Structures are given as C-alpha cells and as structure tokens.
Amino acid sequence: ATADADGKWMVKLVTPEAGGPHTLTIQGNNTIKINNVLSGEVWFCSGQSNMDFFMKQLSKTKGGTPPEDQKTAQYIKKEIASAQDDQLRQFEVTKNTSPLAPLDTFEGTWIISSPQHNAGFTATGYFFGRELRQQLNVPVALIKCAWGGSRVEPWVPSEVLQQDAELAAYYDATIGTLKEQLAGWDPKAKADKYKAALKSWEDGGKKGRKPRLPVSPSENKQLPASLFNAMVHPVIPYAIKGAIWYQGESNEKGNTFKYETNLRGLISGWRKYWGQGDFPFYIAQLASFKDAVTEPRDFDGWASICDQQRRTLGLKNTGMAVLHDIGEAKDIHPHNKVDVGKRLALWALKHDYKQKGTVCSGPLYKSHKIKGDQVVVKFDSAGSGLMAGTKNGMADTQESAEPLKLFQICAADRQWQWANAEITGNNQVTVSHPEIAEPTAVRYAWAKNASAANLYNKEGLPASIFTTEAAIPGR
C-alpha cells in the first residue's frame, strides 16, 4: 500500500481462522509491530447510559433496590472479581464531540476480561459478549462507543438528518445557532472571567455555588450528528460483525415522534459509511421505569419510543430484545444486564451464527382482525406457543395460570379500557371488553412501567409493547 500526501493508507487482509494471538507487522521507512492480536467476532456497542454503564456501576445498589436486583448486583460483583477470559476484550472510544465535521482519529485502549479490568466493561456488552464466547468458543471483541444521557440525534450522520424536511429544519436551526455562539466565543475572556469569579468565591469564604469554567458550545453532546462525527466516524472502516444499541430514554421528551425516523436513518447511515452491507443491528427495547400504571393513558412517551423501536424491525437484519419485565421502578439503569446481554445474543446466535433451534424473540405483533366485539391479534415469534408467565430477577420465566394483563382496547372515541385477553391459538390472542361493542384498536403493555405485562412464548421470552394503530399514537 502507498500512503497519500497526508500519510493515510489502508490494506485489507484475509483474516486467519478465529484465534491467536498473532503479531501484526507494518513495515515502511520504519517498522511497527502490534502484538497479541486476535482474530474473531467484533461487535459495536453504542447508545446512552444503559450501554455506557460499567460493570462496577451495576454491582452497587441503593435504597429501594428490590431484593432480586440486589442479588443481581451481587452476581455482577462476583463476576467482576472472578471472570478471566483473554479472548473477551473491549475497546472504549473516548467521549468527544464534533458538531461541524467528521473526525478521522480518536483515542482509546483495549482491555481483556480479568479481575483487573472487568469493572470497566460495558455491562450490557459484557454479558452479550460472554454469551457469544460460551456458545461459539471464538474470540469476541466489544467496541464500546456510548455516552450517558445522549439522544439519538447526535448519533445520526448529518446528511441523513438533511433527508427529512422536519429534521433538516431542526438541524439547520441548531447548527446555525451554534455557529453564531462560536462566532462570539472568546476562550481567553471566558477563562479570565472564570478565574476572577473563582477568586472572589474563595476570598468570600467559599459561600454559595462554586463557579464553573465555561464550556464551549461545541461540546454539547446533544448537538445533531456531533457524536457520530466524533466517536463513530473515526472507528470506520474497522471491520465489525454488527452493532447492538441501547438508547431511547432521553428521547422520551425530545423529538419523540421522530424517533423511528431517526433510528432508521442511523442504521442506514452507519451501514452506508461502513460499506459492509446490511450488517446486523440489534436494539435493546427500553425497560420498565417509574411507578406501575394503574389507569390507561392516551399517550405515553416511553411506550411510544418502545413501539417505534419495534416498528424499526421493518429494516433488514434488525432485531430487538424486549426488556419491560426486567426494569426497576426506582432506577432507570436496571441491574439485570445479564438477561439484556443474553436476549441480544440470541438474535446473533440465530441469524448470524446459524445456531439451529434457537428462538431469539418473544411474540411480536403481526396483524389483527376485528370480529364483532372482539379483536383477534396474531403474533410472529410465538415459538412453540404463547403463555402467561412470570419472571423474577435472573431466574428463568415460569408459566403462570394468571389471566393475561395490560391489554387495552378502545372504540372510535379512543377511550382506552383494560381489556379481557385470552390465548386462543398457538400464535393468537383474542381481546374484548363487555362495554365496547365496536372496538377499533388494541394495545399491549402501553406504559412507562409495563412490568405487569405477562404474555410470553413458551421459550420464556416476553411479548413486545405494541399498538394495532397504523400511525404513531399521539402524533
């Protein structure tokens, strides 16, 4: 290969069979040797805090943590202290922003699974990778590229946002404001003002809030395309098998109705940039949070995000791990990332590694028919059949004799009522209400906390939140 004027070059190698370690030697005017290189499966792990959170963070509990989640925290703590696997590795991309242009370079380090490093692994990615290691017995690498509290828009390439009129207006207005702010930004003047304020605060006995050093407007992680430019673009074209994505909490009240559009654009945009075709992209649907629902609500932003995540499955080579049964009412970061990783891994094992007999998903809404005062809902991914189930912590789902819960039904007036729901076939549920003679729509688990929802397939995987309405509710 010949380097260009900027010193950039690239070669493509036929990778050896899974294993190693190998030594990679690069020779030009000088020689560089990179040791301890493995050949195996590489997965890109991105999103916000539920992907960003380290194992260490989820090994701790606080007041109000349920007993089953306290046990999970203890399990993770033991895993940190004991797990040793040289062939499970993580590279973490340093957090950075670049709203105006894509970057080509970045910093980060590789770590291996060991008691010295396990605490620093992404918990979601770790249990996903551990499952692949156990099932495939080949090296697995995780590239962690996540930032807590980030919305979806910063992760979407700018040209993708420009393809939608509403999003283009949002992008242009936001970037226009940023450029105006940067035009008047004087770093030295800001620093001098900060130093003066800090000295005054110290001389005054440190009363009141301590002054903060002003941050450049360009460092706002919520600016559209900023995190794609600074954190995703520099990784490309590092070869990956696919991506796992856990994000959406921050869009509950921000561009909520554009979430599906943005997520689809993110997936398509990343695939275009990587140039590896329609690589697999697996989504973690949001887990339950806050108090359990007691009355049906016409609109719920959290449920809407979950349903839009489900609708995104219309894209080729996508999948989704349903998580409403493992959330925590008092913690937006549920401890049970063990099942999150396993459920994401099931999609990869079935579709990418062709593991026979694997059921990778719980029931997914397929279609419905209105028959008089009843609505018959049919599901894909019913496995060997539907059932009511209960799940406690990391334990396997158990079949239950309880009636199905958290189905809602309405007539044309959209006055939602809790519904009677009954499994009436291998892949169908019949829904009704004694006071609704002409139903128009059904929805399931439509709540920020849908932990009481109990429709599963017999493989123990939960049914996704859904509505039979064609449009995004509340739009």
Side-chain angles (χ1 to χ4, degrees):
T2 302
D4 65 15
D6 296 322
K8 294 182 180 179
W9 58 273
M10 181 173 71
V11 294
K12 293 185 178 181
L13 305 177
V14 177
T15 53
E17 291 184 4
H22 305 286
T23 298
L24 186 64
T25 303
I26 305 152
Q27 186 172 342
N29 293 333
N30 61 329
T31 299
I32 299 172
K33 285 190 176 182
I34 304 173
N35 298 311
N36 197 14
V37 178
L38 299 181
S39 176
E41 303 302 297
V42 181
W43 286 84
F44 193 74
C45 310
S46 192
Q48 59 178 109
S49 55
N50 273 306
M51 185 66 79
D52 194 15
F53 257 40
F54 300 122
M55 294 273 279
K56 182 179 180 180
Q57 291 170 285
L58 292 171
S59 68
K60 301 175 181 179
T61 58
K62 56 187 179 181
T65 301
E68 62 270 19
D69 295 305
Q70 293 179 17
K71 291 179 182 177
T72 304
Q74 288 298 313
Y75 177 88
I76 294 174
K77 189 174 183 179
K78 290 179 181 178
E79 186 76 7
I80 291 171
S82 62
Q84 179 82 48
D85 186 354
D86 177 66
Q87 295 197 356
L88 177 59
R89 303 182 177 187
Q90 173 187 276
F91 185 96
E92 181 175 3
V93 179
T94 302
K95 293 178 174 64
N96 193 17
T97 59
S98 180
L100 300 180
L103 304 182
D104 292 323
T105 60
F106 66 107
E107 295 181 355
T109 55
W110 283 102
I111 58 175
I112 66 170
S113 174
S114 66
Q116 293 74 33
H117 299 297
N118 288 329
F121 271 74
T122 158
T124 294
Y126 175 85
F127 289 109
F128 170 81
R130 188 186 72 168
E131 191 71 13
L132 295 187
R133 282 282 298 126
Q134 292 173 349
Q135 297 292 328
L136 304 175
N137 194 30
V138 298
V140 174
L142 310 168
I143 300 177
K144 177 188 172 186
C145 184
W147 197 332
S150 58
R151 293 180 179 177
V152 69
E153 292 81 9
W155 298 102
V156 182
S158 60
E159 59 267 40
V160 172
L161 293 169
Q162 296 281 10
Q163 293 170 6
D164 179 278
E166 188 175 342
L167 291 173
Y170 153 76
Y171 176 83
D172 292 341
T174 305
I175 297 302
T177 299
L178 171 66
K179 290 179 177 179
E180 291 176 2
Q181 293 172 335
L182 291 175
W185 184 261
D186 185 338
K188 186 179 183 305
K190 295 288 185 182
D192 290 343
K193 185 175 181 180
Y194 163 73
K195 290 176 183 177
L198 182 63
K199 186 177 186 305
S200 177
W201 177 76
E202 291 173 340
D203 292 344
K206 298 184 177 181
K207 296 179 181 179
R209 180 177 295 179
K210 183 180 180 179
R212 294 183 178 181
L213 180 66
V215 176
S216 169
S218 65
E219 295 184 35
N220 179 359
K221 67 183 177 186
Q222 304 295 13
L223 292 169
S226 182
L227 301 187
F228 171 80
N229 288 341
M231 296 176 66
V232 180
H233 189 270
V235 177
I236 302 167
Y238 196 99
I240 61 173
K241 182 68 173 182
I244 57 173
W245 173 259
Y246 197 152
Q247 189 278 335
E249 298 91 338
S250 290
N251 283 97
E252 179 194 8
K253 297 179 180 178
N255 279 345
T256 305
F257 300 116
K258 279 291 184 179
Y259 190 80
E260 181 188 354
T261 300
N262 277 320
L263 185 54
R264 283 174 172 261
L266 180 152
I267 297 168
S268 300
W270 286 14
R271 286 171 171 173
K272 180 180 178 181
Y273 268 91
W274 245 288
Q276 292 184 200
D278 295 326
F279 61 74
F281 192 101
Y282 300 135
I283 302 159
Q285 195 179 52
L286 301 187
S288 291
F289 180 50
K290 292 295 187 181
D291 294 332
V293 63
T294 57
E295 296 296 332
R297 295 176 59 185
D298 184 43
F299 175 72
D300 187 296
W302 193 273
S304 179
I305 295 293
C306 290
D307 191 52
Q308 290 179 71
Q309 290 173 321
R310 177 190 64 83
R311 292 169 189 250
T312 304
L313 299 183
L315 280 179
K316 185 178 180 180
N317 289 346
T318 56
M320 183 178 70
V322 178
L323 307 177
H324 60 68
D325 59 340
I326 61 172
E328 292 181 40
K330 295 185 178 181
D331 199 333
I332 201 170
H333 308 112
H335 288 80
N336 187 4
K337 295 299 188 289
V338 181
D339 279 308
V340 178
K342 284 183 178 180
R343 290 176 182 179
L344 289 168
L346 286 173
W347 282 91
L349 290 168
K350 179 178 177 65
H351 293 283
D352 307 308
Y353 303 113
K354 311 305 179 184
Q355 191 177 79
K356 294 181 179 180
T358 298
V359 175
C360 64
S361 174
L364 296 170
Y365 166 74
K366 179 182 180 181
S367 64
H368 72 283
K369 286 187 177 181
I370 299 172
K371 296 183 177 180
D373 61 353
Q374 297 180 331
V375 181
V376 179
V377 182
K378 291 195 173 182
F379 296 87
D380 282 326
S381 303
S384 53
L386 302 177
M387 71 175 192
T390 58
K391 180 168 172 58
N392 186 20
M394 294 187 296
D396 291 341
T397 306
Q398 300 298 313
E399 188 166 5
S400 168
E402 291 187 345
L404 295 179
K405 301 176 181 178
L406 288 198
F407 276 87
Q408 299 175 18
I409 194 169
C410 74
D413 60 3
R414 285 186 57 81
Q415 298 300 305
W416 293 97
Q417 303 292 333
W418 294 122
N420 299 321
E422 182 181 356
I423 297 170
T424 53
N426 187 67
N427 69 335
Q428 75 177 34
V429 172
T430 300
V431 186
S432 63
H433 188 281
E435 298 177 6
I436 297 179
E438 298 180 353
T440 59
V442 164
R443 59 190 189 185
Y444 170 71
W446 198 265
K448 191 165 186 173
N449 187 331
S451 57
N454 64 343
L455 177 63
Y456 289 79
N457 58 26
K458 291 187 177 179
E459 284 70 25
L461 295 171
S464 170
I465 290 172
F466 73 88
T467 176
T468 62
E469 299 164 288
I472 298 172
R475 183 71 168 108

